[in-house]
Amino acid sequence: TISLVPPPRQSDSDTGDHGILNLALGTADTTEKGLRLYKPSVTCKRGSGLSSLSCTGTACSRCNQGFYHSLGQLNVDFGSGPTTDDNSCNATCTAAGGCDLTSLPAACLSAFGPTGVQNLQDPELWHIITLKASGGEFQGFIDGFHSSSQPPLYVTGEAAAAVEQFRLGVMDTGDGSAPSYGNVDIAEILIYDDALTTQEMDRIGNYLAIKFDLEYFRLDADVGSATRSVAISKGCGCPSAPWHTPFCNTSLGPYCASGAALASGTCSSSNMGLKVVTGESFLSLSPGTGGKGPTTGNQFKIQGYYVLPTDVNVNGDSGILGANSTNNVVQIGTEGATDLDTAVTTKYLAVSVGRVPSDCRSPRSEVPCLPADFSEKFATDCRIRSTASSGTNDATTLCANWVAPSPVPEIICTAPAGIGEGLDIIIYWHGVATVLSNWYHYEPPVIHSLTPNRVNYKGGSTVTLNGKNFGTQSKWTATTHGGFQTANVQKAEIIIESRRPTKCRKTTWVSDQQLLCEVPPMPMVRQGINAQQRTLQVKVVVQAVNQRNQRTTSSTLVYTDVPTFYTCDNDKISNQAMQRQCFECCRSACIVDEFSQGGAKKGYTYQFCDKSCYQYCGYVSGRTRRRMAVRRLLQSRHDARAAMLFWGAEEPVPERGAKSFSRSAALARRNRRDDSVPVKIPGPASDPKDDEPESLAAAS
């Protein structure tokens, strides 16, 4: 078996045949025996070539529609004869006066494979060509479709020749006397000294399609095929891929139409027969709901009629693990009830949990999927488990006689650690991926306790979160190119929920059951605080990808010593009147708070409250703050002078040794010191206006 990836390229003036691959006899042989893969030149009806191609007579790489004489399709000579499989349609198109590629004669189409895949090979495109010789039969497949009973290159009844030479870019006799060179690029060629099975050709072709980004390669994903090479989630109904059409008959199982009565049960869905179960008891879940497990990973099981390829048989002697299935039904573990589990190495089977782009979720996808497209972690200890299967699994049994395979084959694995829900399960058989979209869900995070659960409203304290399902360290940190560990908020984070949610200043992952959070300050927005206790209750939320913990009393964090000015409305401070109203409310509440606590800030109470309320109400100008401070000072002096005038033109001088002072002196002293008497109403302040923004430090 030979697999190669070439595009033969014909120039406008080329004629004759273009050799791609040649297996010949010895160097003294003058015959064409062996194997020759080549492409005849495209020829047009004289004078009808496209003007832009500068055709010379009938020699052109393309023709006007309706004027093709020779289509330039891949041809092959095989055997001791040799026998030729000519796909050029030269005779048919010449007799018809020229062929139109959009409506080719049936005689031409029949040479290109079964209905639905009778494709013309564009010579400028890359193709995966598989050549297989076994006994007197030769088969050549183009871009997959290996299960087809009508390959586009086919020779039978011909004895194979004993070749001695392998040559590329030429078709020739053994002695090299009649070369037909080809202008061809070959990206890769693989040669096997055995006739590979259909499933093996599928897997090798899939490898080449991924490697060279060729989206038109097709696998055998037919549930009724005895040579199916992939795991699929299919039970009833016709597949949608065009090349399955000739095999699709809704009166035959397993293509029975939805609602059809089967020998056992009724076909109820066009996408059934596969489910995931999980947990120690393997609780069965309905198809499509998927499995669920802790973030540390656990054992889960995938069950399905078609979860194993048809060449899995641990008791046989060929195929990837054994012989092909018996009567198209997979046979595993037939030694008896004691042989229920069979370990399968990752060389053949691998299962992962992750996220896959939607275009990569089907073996029949028309978009190639590269390894970089997959975000996944692999399960471990994967095994297949079943006893001898029974039932029918082919495309020729009537619905009324079709019996689902029983027991259902299984794959058992230990899930990797992770977080998130709606994840994909990817099943690889020999590197070919089948994706079960949105099938696996890790359990959401749970918070059991917060220690401490009370912190100062200014933040800075470190709180320990105890619980479970916090995930792995990789979900909380990401390594930069410089080797530094940084917070990875795209994957997992801790959120403090209030009227304005905030995130931890610093998050440290300790284990799947413990996290550390450096609490941020309370955001400066109006909050529903407990004014009497000066506290605010908030919820701590662990956001693990697309999952969150439930908000319970265990996840409640209490901010303490909260100033009561947090009850003032600063939602509409873009309006100057509302901003001034916010400032007056805030300053009044702040001063009352400070003096109610004994005036701990002493001479700096007003300064502290002004600074806090400027920030709370959205003032950012240092010049304005200084101007307000000066005006307030002048107003205080004005009040003191007015008081002196009220009590007398001059302040009376106390007698020697007198202990009393005048009211005006006391008032003046009060204005110099703001820690003497707690008051409920702040001193007058002018309307602040925003001039030039400066820092709070400059204002101080």
Side-chain angles (χ1 to χ4, degrees):
T1 305
I2 301 174
S3 290
L4 67 160
V5 188
R9 307 184 186 280
Q10 176 183 344
S11 299
D12 297 340
S13 59
D14 286 345
T15 59
D17 297 323
H18 304 260
I20 300 173
L21 177 145
N22 183 204
L23 275 68
L25 303 185
T27 56
D29 185 78
T30 59
T31 69
E32 298 175 348
K33 297 178 180 180
L35 171 62
R36 307 196 306 172
L37 176 68
Y38 58 97
K39 174 192 174 300
S41 293
V42 171
T43 57
C44 304
K45 187 177 179 180
R46 181 178 295 276
S48 298
L50 294 173
S51 58
S52 61
L53 298 177
S54 304
C55 298
T56 303
T58 61
C60 299
S61 59
R62 281 170 287 180
C63 310
N64 281 319
Q65 290 295 357
F67 293 98
Y68 280 83
H69 275 189
S70 177
L71 303 179
Q73 298 301 287
L74 293 173
N75 289 355
V76 69
D77 297 339
F78 172 74
S80 298
T83 297
T84 299
D85 181 15
D86 182 6
N87 295 317
S88 66
C89 279
N90 191 5
T92 302
C93 292
T94 299
C99 284
D100 189 331
L101 298 184
T102 61
S103 57
L104 288 172
C108 295
L109 288 174
S110 63
F112 304 145
T115 304
V117 290
Q118 297 164 339
N119 301 319
L120 297 171
Q121 293 83 43
D122 188 329
E124 297 300 320
L125 296 180
W126 293 85
H127 297 282
I128 299 174
I129 303 173
T130 304
L131 310 174
K132 175 181 176 180
S134 179
E137 183 180 57
F138 172 84
Q139 295 174 301
F141 303 93
I142 301 172
D143 299 326
F145 309 105
H146 298 130
S147 61
S148 170
S149 60
Q150 190 180 352
L153 299 172
Y154 185 69
V155 174
T156 187
E158 178 65 72
V163 299
E164 298 180 12
Q165 300 184 75
F166 179 88
R167 295 177 289 191
L168 296 174
V170 66
M171 56 176 293
D172 203 350
T173 56
D175 61 358
S177 59
S180 292
Y181 296 107
N183 180 13
V184 58
D185 296 329
I186 299 178
E188 184 162 343
I189 183 166
L190 303 172
I191 305 172
Y192 297 87
D193 61 354
D194 195 6
L196 301 183
T197 66
T198 299
Q199 295 94 326
E200 289 169 336
M201 290 190 294
D202 257 15
R203 292 159 188 146
I204 293 169
N206 180 75
Y207 152 76
L208 293 171
I210 292 175
K211 182 174 182 179
F212 296 108
D213 195 16
L214 304 179
E215 70 272 15
Y216 31 80
F217 181 83
R218 291 296 178 270
L219 294 160
D220 182 4
D222 181 0
V223 294
S225 172
T227 55
R228 176 174 48 80
S229 58
V230 299
I232 57 174
S233 175
K234 196 71 178 177
C236 302
C238 293
S240 59
W243 78 282
H244 288 90
T245 303
F247 311 108
C248 180
N249 185 333
T250 54
S251 65
L252 302 177
Y255 298 117
C256 305
S258 181
L262 310 177
S264 59
T266 302
C267 182
S268 58
S269 172
S270 62
N271 190 30
M272 62 175 291
L274 193 65
K275 61 183 178 180
V276 175
V277 293
T278 185
E280 296 180 357
S281 61
F282 294 113
L283 176 65
S284 293
L285 302 177
S286 300
T289 59
K292 193 172 184 179
T295 59
T296 52
N298 71 327
Q299 193 177 67
F300 70 98
K301 175 172 60 175
I302 305 170
Q303 293 179 316
Y305 299 154
Y306 317 110
V307 76
L308 308 180
T310 56
D311 57 349
V312 174
N313 186 340
V314 297
N315 302 303
D317 56 1
S318 64
I320 62 169
L321 291 178
N324 284 339
S325 56
T326 303
N327 296 325
N328 302 334
V329 177
V330 174
Q331 302 284 316
I332 54 177
T334 57
E335 282 86 350
T338 58
D339 181 30
L340 297 179
D341 295 348
T342 303
V344 183
T345 68
T346 54
K347 178 180 179 181
Y348 304 116
L349 170 65
V351 177
S352 66
V353 176
R355 297 186 184 278
V356 180
S358 58
D359 289 334
C360 305
R361 291 174 177 171
S362 169
R364 298 185 297 273
S365 171
E366 296 183 0
V367 178
C369 299
L370 305 177
D373 295 326
F374 293 73
S375 173
E376 58 186 335
K377 284 190 174 182
F378 283 90
T380 56
D381 191 28
C382 288
R383 295 163 288 155
I384 55 177
R385 176 175 179 172
S386 183
T387 54
S389 299
S390 62
T392 52
N393 183 13
D394 59 68
T396 59
T397 301
L398 292 174
C399 295
N401 301 326
W402 191 80
V403 179
S406 177
V408 180
E410 304 170 354
I411 297 175
I412 305 173
C413 298
T414 299
I419 56 177
E421 64 178 354
L423 300 175
D424 302 327
I425 293 180
I426 304 102
I427 304 172
Y428 293 90
W429 280 107
H430 212 101
V432 182
T434 297
V435 180
L436 309 181
S437 178
N438 194 30
W439 273 77
Y440 196 80
H441 313 277
Y442 287 105
E443 293 179 357
V446 176
I447 295 178
H448 291 153
S449 65
L450 302 176
T451 307
N453 62 356
R454 297 173 68 89
V455 296
N456 188 274
Y457 82 101
K458 297 179 181 179
S461 302
T462 298
V463 173
T464 301
L465 284 68
N466 298 303
K468 64 178 182 178
N469 300 330
F470 295 152
T472 60
Q473 185 176 15
S474 62
K475 297 297 182 182
W476 292 89
T477 57
T479 304
T480 65
H481 292 296
F484 299 102
Q485 296 292 321
T486 57
N488 193 348
V489 297
Q490 287 78 21
K491 292 185 177 181
E493 58 190 356
I494 301 176
I495 300 172
I496 311 297
E497 285 192 341
S498 62
R499 286 196 69 224
R500 180 182 294 169
T502 55
K503 300 175 184 177
C504 294
R505 283 178 167 177
K506 180 182 178 182
T507 300
T508 303
W509 180 90
V510 179
S511 69
D512 178 67
Q513 300 177 358
Q514 190 173 89
L515 301 171
L516 302 180
C517 167
E518 184 179 321
V519 179
M522 255 182 65
M524 284 198 138
V525 295
R526 183 176 58 171
Q527 304 276 9
I529 70 172
N530 185 323
Q532 292 183 345
Q533 298 181 6
R534 299 184 63 192
T535 60
L536 173 68
Q537 291 188 357
V538 296
K539 295 297 183 182
V540 178
V541 175
V542 176
Q543 173 82 43
V545 187
N546 53 0
Q547 290 180 306
R548 291 186 171 194
N549 59 280
Q550 292 185 354
R551 295 151 181 82
T552 64
T553 55
S554 300
S555 62
T556 300
L557 181 70
V558 179
Y559 278 114
T560 62
D561 301 324
V562 180
T564 57
F565 65 69
Y566 273 90
T567 59
C568 297
D569 187 358
N570 64 351
D571 292 338
K572 301 177 181 179
I573 55 177
S574 58
N575 180 288
Q576 287 189 358
M578 296 296 293
Q579 189 176 33
R580 176 169 177 78
Q581 186 177 351
C582 169
F583 182 81
E584 291 175 351
C585 171
C586 175
R587 190 165 183 266
S588 174
C590 179
I591 293 176
V592 170
D593 276 352
E594 290 302 314
F595 285 120
S596 67
Q597 297 179 69
K601 294 180 177 57
K602 299 185 178 180
Y604 298 97
T605 295
Y606 289 107
Q607 183 179 351
F608 167 78
C609 289
D610 284 349
K611 180 178 178 181
S612 300
C613 293
Y614 285 135
Q615 184 177 2
Y616 182 80
C617 296
Y619 292 108
V620 294
S621 171
R623 176 177 295 181
T624 298
R625 287 191 290 273
R626 289 197 300 273
R627 182 184 299 145
M628 288 186 63
V630 171
R631 288 179 180 177
R632 187 159 51 82
L633 177 61
L634 292 176
Q635 184 68 41
S636 298
R637 290 180 178 177
H638 172 76
D639 290 345
R641 183 173 179 81
M644 291 173 63
L645 293 175
F646 179 79
W647 291 102
E650 295 183 1
E651 181 177 356
V653 179
E655 297 178 1
R656 186 180 301 272
K659 302 274 181 143
S660 62
F661 297 91
S662 70
R663 183 177 180 86
S664 59
L667 183 60
R669 188 163 57 250
R670 188 198 70 182
N671 284 294
R672 291 193 299 270
R673 295 181 57 198
D674 54 8
D675 62 338
S676 55
V677 180
V679 295
K680 293 186 178 180
I681 304 220
S686 61
D687 186 18
K689 297 185 181 298
D690 201 9
D691 293 328
E692 295 180 8
E694 293 182 33
S695 68
L696 293 174
S700 301

